[in-house]
Amino acid sequence: MTLVAAAIVLWAAGWMLNVRLATGPVAETRAAQLAVPIIFGLTLLGIWELVVRGLDVPGVILPAPSVITATFAAQIDILWQDFVQTFVKGALSGFAMGCVAAFAVAILADRTDFLRRGILPVGNFMAALPIVGTAPILVMWFGFDWQSKAAVVVVMVFFPMLVNTVAGLQDTAAMQRDLMRTYGASYVQTLIKLRLPAAMPFIFNGLKISTTLALIGAIVAEFFGSPIMGVGFRISTSVGQLALDMVWAEIVVAALAGTLFYGAVAAIEKRVTFWHPSHRR
Amino acid sequence: MKKTLIGAAAVLGMMAPAVQAQDLDEVTLQLKWVTQAQFAGYYVAEAQGFYEEEGLDVEIKPGGPDIAPEQVIAGGGADVIVTWMAAGLAARERGVPLVNIAQPFATGGLQLTCLKSTGVETPEDFPGRTLGVWFFGNEYPFYAWMAQLGVDTDGADEDGVTVLKQAFNVDPLLQGQADCISTMTYNEYGQVLDAGYAPEELANFNYLEQGVGMLEDGLYVLEENLEDPEFEDKMVRFVRASMKGWKYAEENPEEAAQIVVDNDMTGAQTLDHQTYMMGEVAKLTAGSNGALDPADYQQTVDTLLSAISEDNPAITAEPEGAWTHAITDKALN
């Protein structure tokens, strides 16, 4: 009970500190803006730890953060191997293939009206397919290893990327296109100099949505048959072994990978579309 | 406080209809797998009114590929669960003190089924092969066997095998993705036969015959609950009625299969397949009156202890108090 009381005290203390920081004279400094979410996160972890210990929650229901951290440190080589299998081989390769393919199809669809009318409904249909239905089939077609996971990812990221790119390519005003025409610019020149740059915010939107989809797809696909490694494999089997600390360690890996991946794409976007109003300071 | 938290978890699992008769004692049974003849005894006991005769209102909760019964009972979602002994002992070592109170399955149905055409005829042929294995607590017998054979499980070479996480179907064998796959005598093996293979074309390794068999579907409860005489009495009546259901199912396989199909809310089971399954399951329950044979228990424990490894972390020490005859002694007299 004392631990639970301590959790309440910790929560109150963290709250007060954050209110002070966020409304006080230092609120505008970079350090304070960084400190507030960090304090919030640490307080949450602290409360979690104290409540789990205080109420004696069984480890198979919810392990304490300290236990998860210890498992993470002890199993770092297995976690790395799973990360490479799921993220690098499955998610990244699927992401690259899916996005490049969607981009190419979007260019084609933009060039011919026939394709645009035909392909968007097909893309729409693909996006509506439930992953739990397609994953077993793709495992059947492409085998148990990362190739089938990449295929699931391709299916998942294709549509958001396609729709965004097609929308982006249409995002130029008639005046701008007319101007290019008066310069005697060819289709390719117009595409590269005017329309693709204008489409960049949309394209990056698609890429950013795809980062998280890719990770989800790769992990869930591993539930439907996999070699004996990978984040999804470990999560699904560790639950059966009641090794919930391992499950949480893998969740941490997936969360870190997903956040960094998204962050990386967002950082590239900032450099490429520096001219866009949303990036003006 | 602990009670409320666990109770909250329990409520999540108990959205089922409330009791009709108030004088009946409620029992929640969590099955290891989906509704099928593997659990016919419980469904028959329910349908034939054996539970009601004992003054019990039993709720049978089907499991599935993402449900670990050990976790359900730890969270308070069930009074008694059906699980395999290896998984039960593993849970016990991880802080869920499960106790075997009855063992309706005298023998096990787990096998490794290989296509002879791929060149596997004896266990010596395993190295270099790809083998399909079920995880989620079902992998313990496999790793114990491989350890006994001295076969590595880190990839196919002259002394190792590649392990695939097999989904709960037989596709990897039919599609040539694996040389051998896990099957249960009463389910997947029949699916392989249905797919057009003759028994002569298949090399079948029963884990029991290989000396690494482990007790399957037993009934497990939490140790602390057994200290409560009221709970103990409920379990005595539950086991008595369940065993009556099992024996009835053995004698009337077709009726039992129909009862199972009637209880299958998903509509996925067919009467044909359930009749086949009931016939095979009856062979496994036939030798049991419900009381655990301590020798079988010891074989399971010894096999597990002989093959402790990273991949097989089931148990690391001889368990104590993991089974009791207290319930069956009272139930079967």
Side-chain angles (χ1 to χ4, degrees):
Chain A
M1 267 308 100
T2 48
L3 288 178
V4 180
I8 296 171
V9 172
L10 181 68
W11 165 74
W15 182 298
M16 258 167 57
L17 188 59
N18 259 353
V19 168
R20 283 270 174 89
L21 280 176
T23 56
V26 289
E28 292 305 314
T29 61
R30 182 131 181 85
Q33 280 171 352
L34 269 179
V36 169
I38 290 175
I39 292 171
F40 177 72
L42 288 179
T43 311
L44 272 190
L45 285 178
I47 294 172
W48 175 354
E49 177 87 32
L50 291 168
V51 168
V52 165
R53 287 192 184 278
L55 299 181
D56 224 359
V57 177
V60 297
I61 301 292
L62 184 64
S66 58
V67 177
I68 297 166
T69 315
T71 308
F72 192 94
Q75 307 284 0
I76 201 92
D77 44 341
I78 289 187
L79 294 171
W80 174 253
Q81 175 200 331
D82 291 345
F83 169 80
V84 171
Q85 169 75 16
T86 303
F87 185 75
V88 180
K89 291 186 182 166
L92 266 190
S93 60
F95 176 81
M97 285 188 275
C99 289
V100 168
F103 183 78
V105 172
I107 300 273
L108 281 178
D110 177 67
R111 190 92 169 99
T112 49
D113 195 44
F114 168 73
L115 269 182
R116 181 162 58 236
R117 289 187 204 189
I119 248 168
L120 284 184
V122 173
N124 199 339
F125 178 73
M126 265 171 81
L129 293 176
I131 178 175
V132 289
T134 50
I137 296 170
L138 291 169
V139 168
M140 216 182 272
W141 289 353
F142 296 103
F144 280 84
D145 213 347
W146 63 269
Q147 291 88 344
S148 60
K149 282 65 195 172
V152 170
V153 173
V154 168
V155 171
M156 283 189 84
V157 304
F158 187 81
F159 183 67
M161 190 63 197
L162 177 72
V163 171
N164 274 291
T165 311
V166 168
L169 287 173
Q170 285 163 359
D171 191 48
T172 44
M175 288 289 269
Q176 295 170 320
R177 290 195 298 270
D178 285 347
L179 183 62
M180 289 305 279
R181 208 166 296 137
T182 60
Y183 291 160
S186 67
Y187 169 78
V188 174
Q189 281 171 325
T190 312
L191 183 71
I192 291 174
K193 301 243 152 100
L194 171 67
R195 303 180 61 213
L196 275 182
M200 277 304 157
F202 288 86
I203 291 173
F204 273 100
N205 212 9
L207 287 173
K208 283 194 291 187
I209 295 170
S210 299
T211 55
T212 44
L213 282 180
L215 199 60
I216 296 170
I219 290 176
V220 173
E222 284 181 2
F223 281 51
F224 302 92
S226 63
I228 47 172
M229 54 182 160
V231 175
F233 164 80
R234 200 76 57 193
I235 289 177
S236 63
T237 56
S238 295
V239 171
Q241 296 177 340
L242 298 189
L244 268 288
D245 46 346
M246 193 64 189
V247 174
W248 280 94
E250 292 284 358
I251 290 174
V252 172
V253 169
L256 284 178
T259 309
L260 291 177
F261 190 17
Y262 184 90
V265 174
I268 298 172
E269 176 189 25
K270 218 170 174 179
R271 307 205 67 167
V272 174
T273 62
F274 60 90
W275 48 268
H276 195 265
S278 67
H279 291 297
R280 259 180 228 149
R281 292 205 157 254
Chain B
M1 204 61 162
K2 181 182 170 186
K3 276 261 157 65
T4 31
L5 196 78
I6 292 179
V11 167
L12 284 176
M14 299 212 279
M15 299 292 198
V19 229
Q20 292 112 357
Q22 289 188 326
D23 46 346
L24 296 180
D25 290 321
E26 286 179 60
V27 173
T28 309
L29 169 69
Q30 174 67 55
L31 302 181
K32 181 179 166 56
W33 195 243
V34 298
T35 302
Q36 57 179 10
Q38 182 186 357
F39 312 106
Y42 312 109
Y43 286 111
V44 167
E46 169 79 26
Q48 296 290 324
F50 298 159
Y51 287 136
E52 219 176 320
E53 285 167 23
E54 296 283 355
L56 294 175
D57 174 34
V58 178
E59 188 201 342
I60 305 176
K61 298 197 327 193
D66 51 357
I67 293 172
E70 301 82 18
Q71 209 174 8
V72 174
I73 198 171
D79 298 311
V80 52
I81 59 170
V82 176
T83 194
W84 287 10
M85 182 166 272
L89 293 177
R92 188 177 173 84
E93 200 169 285
R94 282 171 192 64
V96 185
L98 293 178
V99 177
N100 179 306
I101 56 165
Q103 187 63 42
F105 275 49
T107 51
L110 181 65
Q111 352 177 73
L112 201 61
T113 300
C114 311
L115 274 186
K116 281 191 184 161
S117 57
T118 62
V120 186
E121 306 234 348
T122 68
E124 283 79 56
D125 299 325
F126 285 154
R129 305 291 171 175
T130 300
L131 313 181
V133 176
W134 289 322
F135 281 79
F136 226 76
N138 301 347
E139 71 275 33
Y140 301 124
F142 171 79
Y143 282 108
W145 189 21
M146 290 302 127
Q148 199 191 63
L149 292 172
V151 172
D152 292 338
T153 50
D154 52 1
D157 52 39
E158 60 253 39
D159 39 41
V161 292
T162 301
V163 180
L164 277 187
K165 182 194 166 206
Q166 184 190 336
F168 292 92
N169 58 42
V170 299
D171 296 345
L173 190 78
L174 307 184
Q175 289 159 9
Q177 290 166 337
D179 301 298
C180 305
I181 57 166
S182 301
T183 60
M184 300 303 294
T185 50
Y186 49 77
N187 193 359
E188 290 78 10
Y189 184 65
Q191 293 177 22
V192 176
L193 297 182
D194 285 345
Y197 288 101
E200 310 83 74
E201 294 175 77
L202 302 166
N204 227 6
F205 305 101
N206 189 297
Y207 279 75
L208 277 174
E209 287 162 20
Q210 302 298 325
V212 289
M214 299 190 187
L215 285 171
E216 292 167 12
D217 298 13
L219 291 170
Y220 294 79
V221 300
L222 287 178
E223 192 164 1
E224 65 212 34
N225 289 345
L226 281 177
E227 288 157 18
D228 173 12
E230 218 170 283
F231 181 84
E232 193 191 10
D233 175 54
K234 257 194 332 192
M235 284 303 118
V236 167
R237 287 180 281 147
F238 173 76
V239 168
R240 192 187 297 140
S242 299
M243 286 318 297
K244 216 168 143 188
W246 271 117
K247 294 308 148 191
Y248 187 90
E250 277 171 32
E251 284 157 25
N252 307 283
E254 269 153 39
E255 192 182 339
Q258 184 61 52
I259 290 173
V260 169
V261 173
D262 292 343
N263 274 286
D264 176 33
M265 300 304 166
T266 64
Q269 307 292 8
T270 62
L271 189 59
D272 268 359
H273 188 59
Q274 291 309 307
T275 310
Y276 162 81
M277 192 182 285
M278 190 58 236
E280 291 297 319
V281 166
K283 294 179 193 163
L284 306 181
T285 56
S288 172
N289 65 351
L292 174 75
D293 180 351
D296 289 343
Y297 164 80
Q298 202 54 45
Q299 194 208 344
T300 304
V301 170
D302 290 345
T303 314
L304 282 173
L305 284 176
S306 70
I308 301 162
S309 69
E310 277 278 286
D311 303 314
N312 204 33
I315 52 170
T316 53
E318 179 93 28
E320 263 172 55
W323 61 276
T324 175
H325 274 166
I327 306 290
T328 42
D329 280 349
K330 286 182 191 159
L332 306 173
N333 283 338

